[in-house]
């Protein structure tokens, strides 16, 4: 199955098919395992008041804390232990879903477990999705709307994290993505960033996967 990063996903007209959402409490049954039973759907799980330790079938361990969001892709096998419960009401909210690209082909976002650090913005969205799921008649529209918003947040944070790595050429990137981004030459844009043209071209190619000229042309066509 094709793998698209969260950043790449934000560049295509993908769509989400939500299966269900479920709030679970783990203070008594503190673990779950799907070893030998690969996941048939993607899962986003929000930790509300507890921590988690994931171990995949290769033995790799991934830790997550309260407020984090964990992604496990279709086909993933793992065990998870929940601990550090902050209250009796500590729980998780998980959403099972499928992803399809702009050609209606299914894809996943990684081939392993991925943790996205929380910053307080996810809890309300997961709660809304869960509420829409447990209604007498499941409100799939609200569930999908919540999922698209969560995905958008994750994509934006992923882009910001990557962008920080290339902060030295950030002025040039922002300029090239602006409406008048073709007015300056590449050498002038490099000077705007106080770096040489050769260095700017190399770092920009690493950032975008395209040469500055090709990248600028693509944005011009989109506009």
């Amino acid at each position: 199955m094709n793998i698209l990063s969260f950043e790449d996903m934000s560049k295509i007209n993908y769509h989400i098919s939500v299966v269900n959402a479920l709030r679970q409490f783990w203070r008594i049954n503190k673990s779950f395992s799907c070893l030998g039973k690969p996941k048939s759907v993607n899962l986003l799980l929000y930790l509300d008041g507890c921590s988690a330790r994931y171990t995949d079938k290769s033995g790799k361990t991934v830790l997550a804390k309260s407020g984090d969001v964990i992604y496990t892709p279709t086909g993933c096998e793992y065990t998870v232990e929940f601990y550090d419960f902050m209250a009796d009401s500590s729980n998780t909210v998980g959403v099972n879903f499928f992803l399809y690209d702009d050609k209606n082909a299914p894809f996943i976002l990684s081939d392993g477990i991925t943790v996205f650090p929380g910053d307080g913005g996810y809890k309300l969205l997961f709660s809304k999705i869960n509420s829409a799921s447990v209604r007498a008649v499941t409100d799939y529209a609200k569930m999908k709307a919540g999922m698209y918003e969560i995905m958008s947040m994750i994509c934006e944070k992923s882009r910001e994290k990557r962008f920080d790595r290339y902060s030295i050429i950030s002025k040039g990137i922002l300029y090239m993505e602006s409406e008048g981004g073709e007015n300056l030459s590449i050498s002038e844009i490099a000077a705007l960033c106080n770096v040489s043209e050769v260095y700017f071209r190399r770092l920009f190619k690493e950032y975008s996967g395209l040469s500055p000229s090709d990248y600028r042309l693509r944005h011009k066509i989109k506009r």
Side-chain angles (χ1 to χ4, degrees), residues 132-153:
S133 177
V134 298
R135 295 180 62 176
V137 178
T138 302
D139 192 335
Y140 286 102
K142 285 188 177 180
M143 292 174 68
K144 285 186 178 182
M147 281 296 292
Y148 280 117
E149 193 166 350
I150 289 169
M151 289 296 186
S152 178
M153 288 176 62

Side-chain angles (χ1 to χ4, degrees), residues 98-215:
F98 293 100
L99 289 167
Y100 300 92
D101 64 20
D102 47 6
K103 296 180 177 60
N104 210 36
F107 69 93
I108 57 179
L109 297 166
S110 76
D111 57 1
I113 301 161
T114 307
V115 176
F116 300 96
D119 62 358
Y122 295 116
K123 182 174 182 176
L124 181 59
L125 290 171
F126 275 92
S127 293
K128 286 182 176 180
I129 292 172
N130 182 68
S131 296
S133 177
V134 298
R135 295 180 62 176
V137 178
T138 302
D139 192 335
Y140 286 102
K142 285 188 177 180
M143 292 174 68
K144 285 186 178 182
M147 281 296 292
Y148 280 117
E149 193 166 350
I150 289 169
M151 289 296 186
S152 178
M153 288 176 62
I154 292 176
C155 287
E156 184 62 26
K157 291 179 186 300
S158 176
R159 186 177 184 278
E160 288 174 356
K161 184 176 180 181
R162 187 180 177 204
F163 198 76
D164 287 344
R165 184 179 172 190
Y166 302 99
S167 59
I168 192 171
I169 61 169
S170 61
K171 287 183 179 179
I173 294 170
L174 291 173
Y175 175 79
M176 292 178 68
E177 292 179 348
S178 67
E179 191 168 339
E182 67 274 5
N183 294 334
L184 295 180
S185 67
I186 303 303
S187 61
E188 289 173 321
I189 295 173
L192 187 68
C193 303
N194 296 314
V195 298
S196 70
E197 182 179 348
V198 172
Y199 184 76
F200 179 84
R201 287 181 179 275
R202 179 172 64 80
L203 203 58
F204 191 88
K205 180 68 177 293
E206 184 182 318
Y207 164 77
S208 67
L210 297 171
S211 70
S213 298
D214 288 343
Y215 186 87

Side-chain angles (χ1 to χ4, degrees), residues 62-114:
V62 176
L63 301 178
K65 64 183 183 304
S66 179
D68 290 349
V69 175
I70 302 98
Y71 170 72
T72 53
T74 299
C76 191
E77 298 179 47
Y78 59 86
T79 60
V80 55
E81 301 172 77
F82 299 97
Y83 60 98
D84 283 350
F85 298 96
M86 299 178 182
D88 290 340
S89 59
S90 297
N91 64 90
T92 64
V93 177
V95 184
N96 291 300
F97 62 100
F98 293 100
L99 289 167
Y100 300 92
D101 64 20
D102 47 6
K103 296 180 177 60
N104 210 36
F107 69 93
I108 57 179
L109 297 166
S110 76
D111 57 1
I113 301 161
T114 307

